[in-house]
Amino acid sequence: MDDALLRSLTPGVLGVLVRRGADFAAAEDAVQDALVEALRVWPADAPHDPKGWLVTAAWRKFLDATRADAARRRREDRVEEEPPPGPAPAADDTLQLYFLCAHPSLSPASAAALTLRAVGGLTTCQIAQAYLVPEATMAQRISRAKRTVSGVRLDRPGDVATVLRVLYLVFNEGYSGDVDLAAEAVRLTRQLAAVIDHPEVAGLLALMLLHHARRASRTAPDGGLVPLAEQDRTLWDTGLIAEGVGILQAALARDRLGEFQAQAAIAALHADARTVEETDWVQIVEWYDELVRLTDSPVVRLNRAVAVGEADGARAGLAALAALDDALPRHTAASAYLHERDGDLATAARLYAEAAHKAPNLAERDYLTRRAARLNARLRG
C-alpha cells in the first residue's frame, strides 16, 4: 500500500464531497474512514481508479454518518445521488480547500492547523511536532477548529489575505517527519500567483523562494543549526534567488507595498551579499522600518534591533532591544548576541545559556548551548 498515493488523493476526494454539499468536518471524517477502508481492501484488490473508488467509498461513509445522526437528518434533502461512475477529475483541489479552510470564523493559526490535518493528510502527531507543541494541545486546537465550522456550510471562503497568512505559517513550519511542508507551501503559492494578480501574493512567493534557496546550508552534517552569518553561501540555490528577486522587483514596481514584499526585500538583501561582511545592513534597517510601519509587530521590532546592532553598533542595537518586552520569543538570544558583539562576554555567555533553556526546538537549544560553552571557555582561558 502506497501511503504517498493516498495522501496525494486526499485533497481531491475531500474537494468532491465539499462541492457536493457535505459539511466540511463530516466530509473530512468520511474521507478518513474511506482511507482506513482502502488500507484494508486495496492490498488484496487494488482498484483500477483509486480516486474514483475513494470518492464513492467516502460519499457512502458520509451518507451513513448523516443518516445515523438525528441532528443532521435535515441535510438528507440535499443528498440525492452518489457521484457518477467512471474516473474522477484529476484537478488539484488543494488550493481551493485552503480557501475553504480559511473560513472567516477561524483564526489564521487554527485555519493552518485544520488545513494540515484535513487537506495535507498529516496526523495530529505530525502537526504537533511541526508546531513544537504537545500532541494533546494540537488535538484540542484542531477539535476546536472543527467545532467552529461544524454545521457551517463552507460557502464563505476566506479572503486572499487569510490564505496568504495560512500559507506563510505552513511554510514556516518547515519540515515534519517525511512531509516537506515548506515545499508544499511553495507549490501552492506558485499556483495562487498564477491565478491571482496581487503584489502581496507575488511578495509571499518571492519571500518563500529566497528563504528556500538557503535550505541546503541551514544545517550541518550532524544536523546542527547553522545561522545565516555562518552558512556556506556556495550552497545557496542561485536559480531560486534570481527567480525570487525578479518576482519581488515586479511586485515592488506596482507601488503597493505590503508586509510580505518588505520581508522579501530583506531576504533579497541577504541573498545579494556574497559574504556576510558585504551585507547592506543600513538598507535592511530601512526595510525593517517599513515593516514596523506595516505591522507594528513586536517580533519585527526585535529583528530590527538586531539589524540596528549590525548597522550602527552593538550599543545602538541593545538600546533598541531595551525598549521591547523581554518576554518576547528569542529576546534573550538577541540580547546575548548583541552583548557578545559589544565585548561583554560574561553577560553574553550567561544569556546564551538562559536562551538555550527557552529555545523552541532541540537544534536551536544545542546551538545556543554551544555558544555559551565557547564563550565560557574563552573567559577561562
Side-chain angles (χ1 to χ4, degrees), residues 5-331:
L5 172 62
L6 289 178
R7 184 180 292 117
S8 68
L9 292 174
T10 298
V13 176
L14 185 57
V16 171
L17 267 66
V18 171
R19 287 199 299 273
R20 292 187 63 82
D23 166 80
F24 187 87
E28 196 236 348
D29 289 340
V31 172
Q32 295 299 322
D33 289 342
L35 293 175
V36 172
E37 184 72 7
L39 289 170
R40 185 182 67 83
V41 173
W42 286 12
D45 185 19
H48 176 70
D49 175 18
K51 183 176 179 180
W53 190 99
L54 284 171
V55 167
T56 300
W59 188 253
R60 287 172 177 162
K61 296 287 186 184
F62 170 73
L63 289 178
D64 290 344
T66 301
R67 294 186 179 113
D69 187 350
R72 298 181 181 180
R73 288 187 182 277
R74 290 191 297 272
R75 296 182 191 157
E76 291 185 351
D77 293 337
R78 299 195 298 267
V79 181
E80 297 177 354
E81 59 182 18
E82 295 183 3
D92 185 350
D93 298 298
T94 307
L95 191 57
Q96 178 188 4
L97 290 173
Y98 266 66
F99 274 90
L100 294 177
C101 283
H103 194 269
S105 62
L106 291 175
S107 69
S110 294
L114 181 62
T115 301
L116 290 172
R117 180 69 181 91
V119 184
L122 275 66
T123 66
T124 302
C125 180
Q126 286 175 310
I127 301 170
Q129 290 172 351
Y131 275 82
L132 304 170
V133 299
E135 184 175 354
T137 300
M138 181 53 64
Q140 292 174 356
R141 184 180 302 177
I142 294 173
S143 294
R144 285 195 299 269
K146 284 185 177 182
R147 285 197 299 271
T148 299
V149 298
S150 180
V152 176
R153 184 67 177 271
L154 294 184
D155 54 2
R156 294 172 57 215
D159 60 14
V160 174
T162 302
V163 173
L164 289 178
R165 179 61 54 188
V166 171
L167 287 168
Y168 178 67
L169 290 172
V170 171
F171 179 82
N172 283 340
E173 298 316 320
Y175 320 105
S176 173
D178 60 347
V179 180
D180 191 337
L181 302 180
E184 175 68 358
V186 171
R187 183 183 75 85
L188 292 174
T189 306
R190 284 190 186 278
Q191 287 187 8
L192 187 60
V195 297
I196 295 181
D197 183 21
H198 191 292
E200 272 294 82
V201 176
L204 178 59
L205 178 57
L207 175 63
M208 289 181 175
L209 294 175
L210 289 164
H211 279 299
H212 214 49
R214 303 200 301 262
R215 171 177 177 170
S217 64
R218 286 198 183 112
T219 54
D222 63 359
L225 178 68
V226 180
L228 176 61
E230 300 172 20
Q231 289 175 11
D232 180 356
R233 299 186 178 216
T234 64
L235 298 177
W236 291 2
D237 188 327
T238 55
L240 284 182
I241 290 173
E243 182 185 3
V245 169
I247 292 171
L248 173 63
Q249 289 175 337
L252 292 175
R254 300 176 66 174
D255 199 23
R256 292 167 55 194
L257 184 63
E259 63 172 297
F260 293 125
Q261 294 169 73
Q263 287 191 56
I266 293 169
L269 286 167
H270 283 298
D272 187 54
R274 291 176 299 176
T275 65
V276 65
E277 291 78 16
E278 295 179 45
T279 305
D280 190 341
W281 287 106
V282 173
Q283 273 203 70
I284 287 175
V285 171
E286 291 173 355
W287 277 110
Y288 270 121
D289 288 339
E290 291 287 349
L291 201 50
V292 167
R293 180 182 62 81
L294 290 165
T295 67
D296 195 29
S297 163
V299 174
V300 171
R301 291 181 183 275
L302 185 145
N303 291 333
R304 178 189 176 277
V306 175
V308 167
E310 299 286 358
D312 300 328
R315 297 284 176 90
L318 286 168
L321 194 65
L324 304 176
D325 185 351
D326 61 9
L328 278 172
R330 297 184 173 88
H331 184 286

